[in-house]
Amino acid sequence: MQNIYYEVGSLDKKCYEKFALTEDILMEHAASSMANFIENKFEEKSSVLIVCGPGNNGADGIALARLLYKKYEIKLYLPFGAKSSMAKLQEKRAKLLDVTFIDTIVESDIIVDCLFGSGLNKDLDETSLTIINSLNKQDAYKLSCDIPSGINTKGQINQEAFYADTTITMGALKVALFSDEAKDYVGEIKVANLGVQKSVYEEDTNIYLLDKKDMKLPFRNKKNSHKGSFGHLNVIAGCKMGAGVIAAKAAFGFGAGLVSVVSHEDIDLPYHIMQTHFISDNCTAIAIGMGLGKYEIDEVEKILAKDIPTIIDADLFYEEIILDKLQKDVVLTPHPKEFCALLKLCKIAQIKVDELQKNRFEYVSIFCSKYPNVTLLLKGANTLIGKDKNIYINSFGSAVLSKGGSGDVLSGLIASLLAQGYDSLDATTTASLAHALAAQNYKKNNYSLIPADLVEEVKKL
């Protein structure tokens, strides 16, 4: 996994003070990273429009223009002039080299957005909005320096933002790049080295980006085993029984040795999945909430009181009965509306979904600080997984998963790993990655996935 930071100004400052690296040196490395990307991807003499703001993000762009000059057809546009000391210095260097400055937007093969960096903390003015909208309309390859202009320090987009095909962020990954709002704007994210190795530049953090290698699939290495060696999951099926059945099928496909659906009504189940009316004596994990509806509350209370690894989803996030369970080691998998209901139940905040989505990291952090034993998975374009003081981001999610039943598959995958003995955090991160990567591997039209397709892709990982 990779480190992520709310800000990197303090990391830059360390380079200045501890390693005697100047602001100029860091800027040269930033510009070189963008130049190397362009040189490796595009033919010489391609036209490059670099649009620069008045501060140091713009200065990065002016330095880039100097590095690419003569090899590419460079047009440098500074709609607000150069105002920071570094921007003025870079402008002077570019003019001495005779780089072409222009006073309007022109069509180009490549557009480099260097208007505003990750420090944006105010609304855009009309001129900036007009420029960004004009750039977005161009049929060109779009590259952003640090973060697409229009995305603020919290990852919020209050008006408009630049649509990048690739974002080269400076020094280290930033939280703002991984908000749900930012997902459609950032494109592929790359990190620019600023003059020292990553391990030297970075400091400890509590926010991490999950990689594919963080997925610990439940491969069976022990030969002397039987079905009981891999756990017995009980899935509580409520009035919407299909949700429980989907979760049960996913769990069985992800390695649980035994899976039973708990229901007082007869259900048509695959032969390999059992049905029981009560929690099994040898149950090693419980999945409850998906499709539960108006289940008998006394029975739910008895189930939640059991000292067995549990994942809770869906309908129970609206019920006060969940509160006692929050003091224990439990996995919660709400979508944003359900999490808002849970925040209200916990007396943390009474907010609407829009407010949550603009401040996902903040509310996940607050909740997990109050309930450090809970592993929280907040669904979204970028899934957030919180445990105690740490947050883990799964950025592999896609619109393929925006279908009914995909959340039930996720619950089943997590529950399966809990049943097999994974701890709650490993079960949640691995299942979340498997869920997202399986969807990425789905080869048919991205609107056509059904839960059974997703389970089949998980089996192939």
Side-chain angles (χ1 to χ4, degrees), residues 30-82:
S32 291
S33 292
M34 292 189 289
N36 289 337
F37 176 83
I38 290 172
E39 288 172 338
N40 289 330
K41 191 173 181 67
F42 300 98
E43 295 180 356
E44 292 187 28
K45 303 304 179 184
S46 298
S47 56
V48 184
L49 170 64
I50 307 175
V51 183
C52 300
N56 282 1
N57 195 253
D60 288 342
I62 303 171
L64 171 65
R66 169 171 47 81
L67 293 174
L68 295 179
Y69 178 64
K70 288 295 185 182
K71 190 171 185 179
Y72 292 86
E73 183 186 324
I74 300 298
K75 304 293 182 183
L76 194 53
Y77 179 39
L78 279 65
F80 307 105

Side-chain angles (χ1 to χ4, degrees), residues 119-190:
L120 182 68
N121 57 9
K122 61 182 180 180
D123 287 346
L124 301 176
D125 59 24
E126 287 301 318
T127 301
S128 300
L129 286 171
T130 299
I131 291 169
I132 290 172
N133 283 321
S134 178
L135 296 176
N136 283 340
K137 290 176 183 177
Q138 283 212 35
D139 183 17
Y141 190 92
K142 299 182 176 69
L143 177 67
S144 272
C145 173
D146 202 30
I147 190 169
S149 293
I151 301 177
N152 69 17
T153 55
K154 291 187 174 182
Q156 300 166 347
I157 301 170
N158 295 326
Q159 296 146 292
E160 185 55 271
F162 182 79
Y163 280 99
D165 294 296
T166 298
T167 295
I168 298 180
T169 197
M170 300 308 160
L173 295 170
K174 288 100 177 170
V175 167
L177 294 165
F178 297 98
S179 71
D180 276 14
E181 286 185 88
K183 185 149 183 132
D184 282 320
Y185 293 83
V186 296
E188 183 181 5
I189 300 171
K190 297 181 178 293

Side-chain angles (χ1 to χ4, degrees), residues 245 248 261 267-275:
V245 174
V261 174
I267 306 176
D268 184 18
L269 294 169
Y271 295 134
H272 56 278
I273 295 177
M274 301 175 289
Q275 180 174 352

Side-chain angles (χ1 to χ4, degrees), residues 194-222:
L194 296 185
V196 291
Q197 288 298 312
K198 183 177 182 179
S199 59
V200 177
Y201 180 81
E202 295 184 350
E203 297 283 353
D204 290 340
T205 183
N206 66 330
I207 307 176
Y208 307 94
L209 179 66
L210 293 172
D211 296 321
K212 292 180 181 180
K213 63 185 178 183
D214 296 313
M215 181 173 60
K216 305 171 185 175
L217 294 173
F219 293 117
R220 299 179 171 188
N221 299 316
K222 184 179 178 181

Side-chain angles (χ1 to χ4, degrees), residues 223-248:
K223 295 178 181 179
N224 182 21
S225 63
H226 54 82
K227 59 190 175 186
S229 303
F230 305 104
H232 185 177
L233 172 66
N234 280 202
V235 179
I236 313 303
C239 61
K240 298 177 182 177
M241 296 180 185
V245 174
I246 289 171

Side-chain angles (χ1 to χ4, degrees), residues 2 4 173-175 177-180 182-184 186-189 208-212 214 360-361 378 380-385 392-399 401 429 432-433 435-437 440:
Q2 302 177 62
I4 303 181
L173 295 170
K174 288 100 177 170
V175 167
L177 294 165
F178 297 98
S179 71
D180 276 14
K183 185 149 183 132
D184 282 320
V186 296
E188 183 181 5
I189 300 171
Y208 307 94
L209 179 66
L210 293 172
D211 296 321
K212 292 180 181 180
D214 296 313
R360 286 165 60 86
F361 288 89
L378 177 60
N382 288 315
T383 296
L384 302 187
I385 299 169
Y392 305 84
I393 304 171
N394 177 357
S395 64
F396 295 108
S398 65
L401 290 168
T429 54
S432 176
L433 288 168
H435 187 251
L437 294 171
Q440 283 191 356

